[in-house]
Amino acid sequence: MEKCWFIDCHCHLTAEEFRQDINDVIEKSKKAGVRACVSVTEQQSEFEEVIDLAERYPESVMACFGIHPIQSSANGHRSVTVQLFKSLGQKSAMVAVVSTAVTWDLEPALPFFEKHKDKLVAIGEIGLDFTPWFVSTSQQREEQQKVFALQLDIAKQLDLPVNVHSRSAGRQTIAFLKEQGIWNALLHNFAGRPSVALEGVQAGFCFSFPPAVTRNDQRAKLIRQIPLENICLETDSPSLGPKKEERNEPEKIRIACQYIAAVKEVSVETVCEVTTCNALKLFPKVHQRLKE
């Protein structure tokens, strides 16, 4: 393992959980062999933060912009909208002003993609999430698809890969990506059926798995059937570590690597080498920056 190095293809380094010790987190990841962390965002308020991290740690942090399909709100979580005031209704001029000022939906975020386009390695975290307790109507699903499509268009315009969320919507997400003409995509923490994943494999998509796969063997059949040439590694830190109650970090990526090696009955070194090669192919700007 000393000769092998990793790419964490999906993590959240702007998360509140890392606010106090991000330098230590990155230093530990380096010692664990993590050469680069592809840090995604979920809402516009994180955009400038991830750019700041990428500038402070140019050899380690690779920035992505994306608006997640499920957004935090004062009342918990809700499905994303292009403009928040569309879902609230324009009851008054004040409502419209306040709503358009809210930072977590797509429209207010659009100028930032153009402003920082040269600093981005991918668009993400974007996608679909049809979890019933978050998304209960066809209108909400359609609005998610609208937000997803707009961000896929940005990815095409900027010639960037996409870092994709697909909870409770694996088949729909893969079909939508193909319909939209997207071929450079990472399906992060994919939990759909193997038959659905193989449709993505045929399209050339990659699938990444975090250390949480070690909590049980529910994902073993899926991992076994996806070719290693279509697999990448991720942590989704600070979430999805090996223990639910503990903060996850990029340094724990080797746990996912070891699990995939065991399931596929190949060496850990083989999984490390192939998944890193897959990641560098999927994220050419990461490859370019590491060479620099």
Side-chain angles (χ1 to χ4, degrees):
M1 291 297 292
E2 287 74 22
K3 296 179 182 178
C4 193
W5 49 275
F6 303 97
I7 306 290
D8 185 348
C9 290
H10 186 104
C11 59
H12 299 260
L13 296 181
T14 54
E16 182 66 34
E17 290 89 339
F18 292 136
R19 204 56 62 80
Q20 301 300 317
D21 64 343
I22 187 62
N23 189 63
D24 290 342
V25 168
I26 290 172
E27 286 304 313
K28 283 192 291 181
S29 75
K30 288 181 185 177
K31 290 177 182 176
V34 181
R35 281 289 299 277
C37 298
V38 178
S39 189
V40 298
T41 57
E42 296 186 350
Q43 54 192 48
Q44 184 214 314
S45 61
E46 297 176 85
F47 286 7
E48 296 287 0
E49 293 178 50
V50 78
I51 292 297
D52 177 62
L53 284 178
E55 290 175 347
R56 284 164 55 196
Y57 307 99
E59 75 288 354
S60 298
V61 180
M62 309 291 163
C64 304
F65 281 1
I67 302 297
H68 194 280
I70 300 297
Q71 293 291 300
S72 300
S73 70
N75 298 320
H77 294 85
R78 60 172 178 80
S79 189
V80 72
T81 60
V82 177
Q83 294 174 313
L84 185 56
F85 70 80
K86 284 183 179 177
S87 64
L88 292 176
Q90 290 178 301
K91 295 180 180 178
S92 69
M94 181 61 73
V95 168
V97 169
V98 171
S99 299
T100 54
V102 174
T103 58
W104 47 65
D105 286 288
L106 182 58
E107 192 172 86
L110 293 176
F112 290 87
F113 288 91
E114 176 66 24
K115 178 183 177 182
H116 294 293
K117 62 184 179 182
D118 294 333
K119 299 174 183 177
L120 303 178
V121 301
I123 301 300
E125 180 176 357
I126 62 175
L128 301 175
D129 189 321
F130 293 165
T131 307
W133 48 90
F134 295 140
V135 182
S136 58
T137 69
S138 59
Q139 183 180 353
Q140 288 174 317
R141 289 190 286 273
E142 287 170 10
E143 189 78 358
Q144 275 196 22
Q145 289 175 329
K146 210 177 291 182
V147 171
F148 192 19
L150 285 167
Q151 294 183 96
L152 294 177
D153 284 343
I154 293 170
K156 286 186 280 189
Q157 290 166 20
L158 300 182
D159 193 24
L160 292 174
V162 290
N163 210 316
V164 180
H165 176 101
S166 59
R167 185 169 53 192
S168 300
R171 186 181 297 279
Q172 296 95 323
T173 302
I174 287 173
F176 197 80
L177 287 167
K178 293 195 288 186
E179 286 169 14
Q180 298 295 314
I182 297 292
W183 310 112
N184 295 317
L186 178 73
L187 279 294
H188 111 89
N189 189 35
F190 189 78
R193 294 179 179 178
S195 60
V196 175
L198 292 177
E199 293 175 18
V201 168
Q202 290 174 355
F205 301 156
C206 286
F207 298 79
S208 58
F209 299 96
V213 293
T214 62
R215 295 180 194 172
N216 53 58
D217 287 324
Q218 290 180 357
R219 224 77 69 88
K221 182 180 178 182
L222 175 65
I223 290 169
R224 200 173 290 119
Q225 292 196 33
I226 297 175
L228 188 56
E229 290 70 25
N230 294 83
I231 292 179
C232 292
L233 302 178
E234 65 159 288
T235 60
D236 201 25
S237 51
S239 302
L240 298 187
K243 295 182 180 179
K244 191 173 183 179
E245 66 277 5
E246 292 181 6
R247 183 183 76 169
N248 192 19
E249 296 183 21
E251 68 163 340
K252 295 181 181 178
I253 198 166
R254 64 176 56 242
I255 296 171
C257 182
Q258 290 164 346
Y259 182 80
I260 292 168
V263 167
K264 286 193 164 292
E265 298 181 341
V266 298
S267 71
V268 173
E269 288 77 12
T270 296
V271 173
C272 180
E273 290 168 10
V274 175
T275 55
T276 295
C277 182
N278 296 341
L280 295 175
K281 184 179 177 182
L282 177 63
F283 300 110
K285 283 197 169 183
V286 172
H287 194 183
Q288 178 186 338
R289 290 177 192 182
L290 290 179
K291 285 196 293 185
E292 290 170 358

